[in-house]
């Protein structure tokens, strides 16, 4: 795209049952909200006249769509180190370190992954008319590991569609309190805002559908090492689902605070030591698998357990013998 933007011409060869906004979103691989923005700004004409989004394209119509050059992001680029696992003209895969907020929000206007990407990536084409990266899915501040970032609208829309259609595999490694009875478990419980604690999420009857697949890798003295694979992607989903079955994530200050005090006998000192040694929630996005939005070629990425959590697991395997 040039500094003056881009013009796309769509010629209609048959009547369409779809509304104009839906038709153009599909044909141009952009969001309906982006189409609405362009319509509102007068950047879309049908036969040289301004249409309405509820109009239907008809045979013989000539649609002209003008994409202005993306506006500068209101966010400040910052020279922050990023672990870029993969990058091409369409997307990046980032291995996020713990402690980094993904997107600016109240209380975190700088030092985020988006601020870092604005500095590090020099070929962003913009998302929604703004020169910014497209975050396809997020990780909590204290969750580490792999996530996908789109560079332009088309890649962002296709990846978001794939995520919604459950075509992107996301697997996490986690350590949870207690012993799960089953080796494999499918948790299907709706998640919504916790009515008693508005900053938390919870399993609630009127929540959004949420499904997590659990597989135990190893039993430890008072904890299990698991993989958790997301079928859906609700806020705090893995953490809330594991708490809901009585096995919250070790080190999770929001959903497992003080959980180690519930153990008794020889497990109690082990659990207290484990809690003390775990610096954050033991949750790491270890695997991503998805089809490339342009080529369709399957992409597969894995991330090793970062040093802080690897040290915790090593103690759980070896150092804990001193507490026997």
């Amino acid at each position: 795209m040039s500094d003056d933007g881009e013009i796309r011409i769509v010629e209609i060869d048959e009547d369409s049952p779809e509304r104009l906004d839906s038709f153009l979103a599909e044909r141009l691989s952009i969001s309906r909200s982006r189409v609405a923005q362009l319509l509102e700004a007068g950047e879309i004409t049908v036969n040289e006249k301004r249409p309405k989004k509820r109009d239907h394209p008809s045979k013989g119509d000539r649609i002209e769509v003008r994409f202005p050059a993306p506006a500068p992001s209101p966010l400040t680029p910052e020279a922050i180190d990023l672990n870029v696992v993969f990058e091409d003209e369409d997307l990046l895969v980032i291995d996020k370190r713990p402690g980094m907020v993904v997107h600016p929000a109240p209380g975190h206007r700088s030092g985020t992954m988006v601020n870092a990407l604005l500095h590090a990536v020099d070929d962003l084409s913009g998302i929604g008319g703004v020169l910014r990266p497209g975050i396809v899915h997020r990780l909590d501040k204290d969750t580490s590991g792999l996530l996908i970032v789109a560079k332009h609208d088309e890649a962002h829309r296709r990846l978001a569609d794939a995520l919604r259609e459950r075509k992107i595999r996301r697997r996490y490694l986690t350590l949870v309190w207690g012993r799960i009875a089953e080796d494999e478990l499918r948790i299907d419980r709706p998640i919504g805002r916790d009515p008693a604690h508005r900053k938390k999420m919870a399993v609630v009857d009127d929540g959004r559908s949420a499904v997590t697949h659990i597989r135990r890798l190893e039993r430890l003295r008072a904890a299990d090492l698991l993989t958790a694979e997301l079928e859906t992607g609700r806020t705090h989903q893995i953490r809330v689902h594991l708490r809901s079955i009585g096995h919250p994530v070790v080190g999770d200050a929001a959903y497992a605070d003080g959980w180690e005090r519930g153990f008794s006998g020889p497990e109690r000192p082990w659990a207290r030591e484990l809690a003390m040694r775990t610096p954050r929630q033991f949750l790491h996005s270890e695997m991503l698998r998805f089809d490339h939005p342009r080529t369709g070629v399957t992409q597969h990425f894995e991330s090793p357990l970062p040093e802080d959590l690897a040290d915790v697991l090593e103690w759980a395997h070896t150092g804990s013998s001193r507490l026997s």
Side-chain angles (χ1 to χ4, degrees):
M1 186 180 295
S2 70
D3 290 342
D4 295 327
E6 179 186 24
I7 296 177
R8 300 277 295 274
I9 304 297
V10 180
E11 295 184 344
I12 308 302
D13 54 14
E14 61 180 352
D15 293 348
S16 172
E18 292 185 280
R19 293 182 2 161
L20 181 65
D21 55 350
S22 298
F23 177 86
L24 288 177
E26 180 65 28
R27 180 67 67 91
L28 302 176
S29 292
I30 58 177
S31 66
R32 285 177 61 182
S33 62
R34 179 60 172 147
V35 174
Q37 290 175 356
L38 295 170
L39 284 166
E40 180 68 22
E43 302 290 356
I44 297 176
T45 59
V46 177
N47 304 325
E48 301 183 352
K49 296 180 181 179
R50 291 185 63 171
K52 296 180 173 62
K53 63 182 180 181
R54 63 177 178 270
D55 291 347
H56 292 258
S58 300
K59 182 177 180 179
D61 283 348
R62 184 179 189 274
I63 305 174
E64 181 175 302
V65 183
R66 294 179 294 274
F67 291 91
S73 171
L75 304 174
T76 303
E78 296 180 45
I80 302 170
D81 287 339
L82 285 174
N83 184 5
V84 179
V85 176
F86 173 83
E87 180 178 4
D88 66 8
E89 61 185 318
D90 301 302
L91 61 92
L92 304 97
V93 175
I94 306 294
D95 195 342
K96 186 184 86 68
R97 67 171 184 267
M100 174 178 276
V101 174
V102 171
H103 199 279
H108 296 284
R109 300 302 302 173
S110 63
T112 72
M113 194 179 76
V114 168
N115 296 104
L117 286 164
L118 288 170
H119 180 271
V121 181
D122 58 10
D123 63 341
L124 290 174
S125 296
I127 305 294
V130 179
L131 198 62
R132 62 182 176 88
I135 305 301
V136 178
H137 59 109
R138 301 186 184 190
L139 296 178
D140 299 332
K141 175 183 176 182
D142 290 326
T143 299
S144 53
L146 300 168
L147 62 112
I148 312 169
V149 179
K151 289 187 175 182
H152 54 78
D153 269 324
E154 183 173 356
H156 189 258
R157 181 176 180 272
R158 291 185 177 183
L159 287 165
D161 286 347
L163 191 68
R164 184 172 57 255
E165 294 165 7
R166 304 180 181 183
K167 294 179 180 178
I168 298 179
R169 287 189 60 191
R170 294 168 290 163
R171 190 179 70 219
Y172 294 70
L173 191 67
T174 185
L175 189 66
V176 302
W177 289 116
R179 301 287 184 83
I180 292 181
E182 302 91 345
D183 290 334
E184 295 188 2
L185 176 65
R186 180 179 186 267
I187 307 174
D188 183 355
R189 298 183 177 185
I191 291 177
R193 190 67 59 182
D194 187 332
H197 304 280
R198 300 302 297 171
K199 292 185 177 181
K200 293 183 181 182
M201 309 300 288
V203 169
V204 291
D205 290 340
D206 60 348
R208 299 176 69 188
S209 172
V211 179
T212 307
H213 297 270
I214 301 299
R215 184 167 67 91
R216 181 174 50 241
L217 300 179
E218 186 178 358
R219 285 194 184 279
L220 299 168
R221 181 174 294 188
D224 277 352
L225 183 67
L226 315 173
T227 60
E229 188 160 335
L230 293 173
E231 186 172 315
T232 56
R234 309 305 177 208
T235 300
H236 299 175
Q237 178 172 317
I238 294 173
R239 299 162 62 194
V240 170
H241 268 172
L242 289 169
R243 168 63 187 257
S244 76
I245 64 169
H247 300 280
V249 175
V250 172
D252 190 337
Y255 299 103
D257 187 34
W259 203 267
E260 68 278 5
R261 295 194 291 271
F263 293 93
S264 59
E267 293 181 342
R268 184 178 179 88
W270 188 91
R272 295 185 68 175
E273 182 75 10
L274 178 65
M276 184 187 71
R277 288 176 174 272
T278 306
R280 60 179 172 97
Q281 59 205 31
F282 199 114
L283 189 60
H284 176 66
S285 173
E286 67 163 357
M287 187 278 289
L288 275 177
R289 187 177 179 88
F290 60 94
D291 291 342
H292 193 282
R294 182 190 298 270
T295 68
V297 175
T298 299
Q299 311 293 306
H300 183 94
F301 302 95
E302 295 190 13
S303 168
L305 198 62
E307 184 177 2
D308 61 343
L309 299 186
D311 287 347
V312 172
L313 193 56
E314 181 181 7
W315 175 84
H317 286 147
T318 60
S320 62
S321 62
R322 295 191 299 271
L323 297 176
S324 299

